[in-house]
Amino acid sequence: MKYALQRFLQLIPILFGITFLSFLLMYMAGSDAVTEMYSNRGVEVAQEIIDAKKVELGLNLPFFQQYVSWLWAMLHGNMGVSYVTGEPVLESFLRKLPATLLLTTASIVLTIVISIPLGIVAAIRHDKTEDLILRFFSFIGNALPNFFVGMLLMQLLGIQLRILPVISSGIDWQSAVMPTLTLAIAMSAKYLRQVRSTVLEELNKDYVLGAKARGVSYKVILWKNVLKASMLTIMTLLALSIGSLLGGTAIIESIFMWDGVGKLAVDAINMRDYPLIQAYVMWMAMIYVVVNLAADLLYHHLDPRIRLGVSRK
C-alpha cells in the first residue's frame, strides 16, 4: 500500500502538467471556435452575436482565468458542454465508451491468444522451420499499416465473400469482427517477436541449465519459471496497448465507422469542438496513468527483485 501510494502521488503532478499543456496548445491554436461552430451549422451570424457567444462561453477571458475555471469545473465532474451539439461532454463520452471497451477487450484477448503461444513455439523451435515461418509472418504484420490491413479485410470479408458488414451498423459482434482483426493482426505481430525474444533470452540463462541438470521437466521449467520471468516484458506491452486502445484507435474506428471514443475525437478535431478535445486529452492521460500504475504494481508483485530493490541484471 505504501508503494502504491507513493507511485500515485508521483503521477498527480503529471496529470496537472498535461492539463496545462493541452489547454495552452488549444489556446494558442489561433482558430476561432465560435465562428467554426456556426460555420459547421451552416449559419451566418453577425459579429455581435459571435462576440456575445464568446462572452457566454468565457472565451473572452485571459488564458489563466479560462484554465483555472475549466480545471475547477473538471475537478467537480463538469467537463463542459460541446460547442457543436450542446450536450454535456461527459455524457457524450460515456455514450461512446462501451463501443471502445468492447473493441479493446476483444482485440487484447485475441492478441494474447495468438501471440503468446506462437511466440513460445518460435522460441522453443529457434531457427527451425516453425520459427522461420512465424518470423516471416511477424515481419509482414509489422510492415503493413493498420489502415491497409483494414481495407484488405473489407475487400476480402466484406465485398468479395460478403460474410461481414463493411461499415459498422452498431455495437454487435458482426460489426466488431473486422476492426478487432485489424488491431489484433498488428499487435500480434509485434507481441510475437517480443515474446519470442524474451522467452529465448530466459531459456539461455543459467537457472534453466541448472534445472535441466537436476532433472526438472522441461514443461515445468517453461511454464513455471521461464514464462513467469517473461511476464514483465509482456505486461509492459499489454499496458501500452490497453492504454492506446482505451483511448480509441481513431483511424480504425473512422474506417469502419465504429462509433467509439476515437471517432468522437476525430469528429471533435474536425469541428474545433474544444471541450470535447480537451476531455479526450484528459481521458487519454488518465488511462495511461492508471494503466501504467497498475503495471508498476504488478511488477512489484511478480518480481521480488523489484520489491527488494535488486537489479534484474
Side-chain angles (χ1 to χ4, degrees):
M1 291 298 296
K2 182 180 179 181
Y3 176 78
L5 182 60
Q6 288 175 346
R7 295 291 298 130
F8 179 74
L9 292 176
Q10 290 171 5
L11 294 172
I12 291 177
I14 296 176
L15 281 175
F16 279 103
I18 291 171
T19 65
F20 180 80
L21 288 175
S22 60
F23 202 92
L24 177 63
L25 288 172
M26 282 190 290
Y27 183 82
M28 296 173 61
S31 58
D32 190 335
V34 175
T35 302
E36 191 72 26
M37 175 182 66
Y38 285 120
S39 176
N40 288 329
R41 295 176 181 177
V43 178
E44 292 186 8
V45 296
Q47 185 62 40
E48 292 79 7
I49 298 177
I50 294 176
D51 293 338
K53 191 65 177 180
K54 287 182 180 179
V55 172
E56 178 186 341
L57 297 174
L59 298 178
N60 62 318
L61 300 174
F63 167 74
F64 281 103
Q65 194 170 345
Q66 288 187 42
Y67 172 70
V68 171
S69 176
W70 172 83
L71 183 62
W72 180 256
M74 189 201 66
L75 291 175
H76 287 79
N78 180 11
M79 291 187 171
V81 176
S82 168
Y83 290 169
V84 177
T85 65
E87 296 180 353
V89 170
L90 185 59
E91 289 185 11
S92 299
F93 255 81
L94 293 178
R95 189 169 61 251
K96 308 292 184 181
L97 192 55
T100 297
L101 289 175
L102 174 61
L103 197 58
T104 298
T105 304
S107 302
I108 289 293
V109 170
L110 185 58
T111 299
I112 292 173
V113 169
I114 294 173
S115 61
I116 293 182
L118 293 182
I120 294 172
V121 169
I124 295 172
R125 305 293 295 171
H126 177 56
D127 284 340
K128 293 184 172 59
T129 303
E130 298 91 333
D131 182 30
L132 295 176
I133 292 173
L134 289 172
R135 285 163 61 188
F136 173 75
F137 283 107
S138 174
F139 286 134
I140 292 177
N142 276 292
L144 295 177
N146 267 353
F147 70 88
F148 184 69
V149 174
M151 288 189 289
L152 287 178
L153 291 176
M154 291 171 72
Q155 176 68 26
L156 177 62
L157 301 179
I159 297 175
Q160 292 186 356
L161 299 180
R162 297 184 180 181
I163 58 177
L164 291 171
V166 175
I167 301 299
S168 172
S169 57
I171 306 177
D172 55 75
W173 71 269
Q174 285 186 323
S175 299
V177 169
M178 280 203 284
T180 298
L181 283 175
T182 303
L183 295 170
I185 287 172
M187 290 192 299
S188 296
K190 178 176 66 175
Y191 278 34
L192 192 153
R193 295 181 64 188
Q194 292 292 335
V195 171
R196 174 190 177 275
S197 175
T198 304
V199 172
L200 194 59
E201 180 183 351
E202 292 295 326
L203 287 173
N204 291 324
K205 288 187 176 179
D206 292 339
Y207 76 89
V208 175
L209 297 176
K212 287 180 180 178
R214 293 194 301 271
V216 179
S217 169
Y218 188 74
K219 289 183 179 180
V220 172
I221 297 172
L222 181 64
W223 295 106
K224 289 192 175 181
N225 300 105
V226 172
L227 189 57
K228 185 176 180 181
S230 304
M231 282 302 295
L232 293 179
T233 301
I234 297 171
M235 287 298 304
T236 303
L237 291 171
L238 281 174
L240 293 173
S241 295
I242 290 172
S244 176
L245 291 171
L246 284 175
T249 51
I251 295 176
I252 300 304
E253 290 185 4
S254 298
I255 289 175
F256 292 101
M257 297 301 291
W258 184 259
D259 200 16
V261 172
K263 184 176 179 299
L264 177 70
V266 172
D267 294 341
I269 292 170
N270 290 332
M271 295 184 290
R272 307 293 192 275
D273 198 345
Y274 289 156
L276 266 176
I277 298 172
Q278 185 68 23
Y280 177 74
V281 172
M282 279 306 303
W283 167 253
M284 288 290 294
M286 290 175 64
I287 286 299
Y288 271 103
V289 164
V290 170
V291 169
N292 279 282
L293 175 60
D296 284 346
L297 296 179
L298 284 174
Y299 292 167
H300 197 262
H301 174 72
L302 290 173
D303 195 337
R305 293 168 294 186
I306 296 177
R307 294 195 295 270
L308 297 174
V310 178
S311 173
R312 295 180 58 201
K313 293 183 179 180

